[in-house]
Amino acid sequence: LYTAPDSCQGRCGEPRSEGDECHCHPECGMDGSCCEDYDRHCQPAGFSRSRDSITDQELQELSEQLYGLDHNKARPSDIALNPQERVAPGDTGLQQDLSPQPVRSVLSQALQPTYASFIRLLDNYQRATGREEEVTAEELREQENFLEQVMETELMRKLFAFLQEKSGYSSQQEFREDLRGMWFGLYSRGDGEQDSSGFEHVFSGEVKKGKVSGFHNWIRFYLLEKQGIVNYLSHNFDGPWDTFPDVLGLQFLWDGFHKEVGSAFIGSSPEFEFGLYTLCFLARPGRPCHLSLGGHSLSIQTYPWTKSTYGSGRRFIATAYVMSP
């Protein structure tokens, strides 16, 4: 059937081709090459197109409320942050160690339940894409425990109440089941192997084609840096916040694999990141999600995985990260 070269109708998930006038693959938003109707044809309906759509003002108000409810965030005395060398945006690919000291040397706060359950999940994944993930019964229990712990926090209860009011979920159980699917459901970034999930990509990190992919979590970074597995090189952005959570755009090597820009919240609780990324994925999938934290503006970018679905056509999370200039 004929498809217009400037339209995504009938082309969603089509592999990138240099001869195409515009593109309809999941990563087209990252380089600005999507066709103008990409969102209309290829993105899940979500809240952003329902009759109960979420406005930018509501996103900013809710994000400020969630920011205030992050009771498990790190205190200034919990982390010794040492950003050291700042590089220009054009120098993030140099792979030079300009910061000989660790970026974070102290994490003194006793682990809250959500921290402990989050950390148990981090060793459940094979970082190389193209290798099938084997999910054990113990790992499934760890996933359920993490969801149970975060849903008990005031922050996630507030997020659920907001989404329920928007006619998104009829019960907390439905919301929790959707969180399980969008974050932990497996899909293939390789040649058909069930080798990836949103949680693995965003929070644990992957290695694809010799480079670090995803890996946007400060707790994961801290633990690997402490073990000598991650080497912090420099940063290209340090957010305006004088308390935690803060935002840092950093460059690092993970067992020799390079991450050119790994933007991450610093000092936030697991439920804070999990909640904000979920909100933006539901409200603005594939588009910048403009929020406000402590009176400062910031944006989160999410992308859905469009090559496979879970449930009744719902999209997995392909990636989510806080944007840095």
Side-chain angles (χ1 to χ4, degrees), residues 123-274:
D123 63 356
N124 291 350
Y125 302 101
Q126 303 181 72
R127 68 182 180 185
T129 58
R131 297 179 61 185
E132 186 92 14
E133 294 288 350
E134 297 181 5
V135 183
T136 67
E138 177 63 24
E139 290 172 352
L140 289 174
R141 285 193 292 270
E142 291 174 353
Q143 292 175 12
E144 290 305 308
N145 183 59
F146 173 72
L147 291 173
E148 180 180 348
Q149 294 289 346
V150 296
M151 287 305 300
E152 289 179 354
T153 65
E154 190 177 356
L155 186 153
M156 287 297 289
R157 290 199 299 268
K158 175 65 178 178
L159 175 60
F160 166 70
F162 175 83
L163 296 174
Q164 186 180 43
E165 184 180 345
K166 288 292 181 179
S167 303
Y169 298 100
S170 60
S171 66
Q172 189 174 116
Q173 181 62 31
E174 182 186 359
F175 180 44
R176 181 168 161 175
E177 290 176 358
D178 201 27
L179 289 172
R180 185 188 304 113
M182 73 174 74
W183 280 107
F184 294 104
L186 294 174
Y187 51 83
S188 175
R189 291 184 190 264
D191 298 320
E193 306 89 350
Q194 299 293 91
D195 62 348
S196 187
S197 69
F199 187 92
E200 176 186 7
H201 182 85
V202 174
F203 294 106
S204 183
E206 299 178 297
V207 172
K208 183 177 183 180
K209 297 182 179 179
K211 294 183 179 181
V212 177
S213 181
F215 199 145
H216 298 287
N217 179 255
W218 73 276
I219 300 172
R220 172 70 159 164
F221 189 98
Y222 167 80
L223 294 172
L224 293 183
E225 186 180 52
K226 189 177 180 180
Q227 297 172 37
I229 298 173
V230 159
N231 180 23
Y232 170 70
L233 304 178
S234 58
H235 73 285
N236 65 294
F237 174 75
D238 190 356
W241 296 270
D242 54 11
T243 60
F244 299 117
D246 199 353
V247 176
L248 200 65
L250 58 162
Q251 294 73 52
F252 60 90
L253 294 174
W254 180 15
D255 262 351
F257 298 103
H258 186 228
K259 182 68 175 181
E260 185 169 342
V261 179
S263 58
F265 285 107
I266 307 295
S268 57
S269 69
E271 60 266 27
F272 178 80
E273 289 184 72
F274 195 69

Side-chain angles (χ1 to χ4, degrees), residues 87 91 93-99 232-234 251 253 258:
V87 299
D91 294 332
L94 295 179
Q95 300 192 39
Q96 296 178 358
D97 190 352
L98 303 175
S99 305
Y232 170 70
L233 304 178
S234 58
Q251 294 73 52
L253 294 174
H258 186 228

Side-chain angles (χ1 to χ4, degrees), residues 280-292:
C280 286
F281 181 69
L282 293 173
R284 300 290 186 271
R287 292 184 287 154
C289 178
H290 303 301
L291 308 177
S292 177

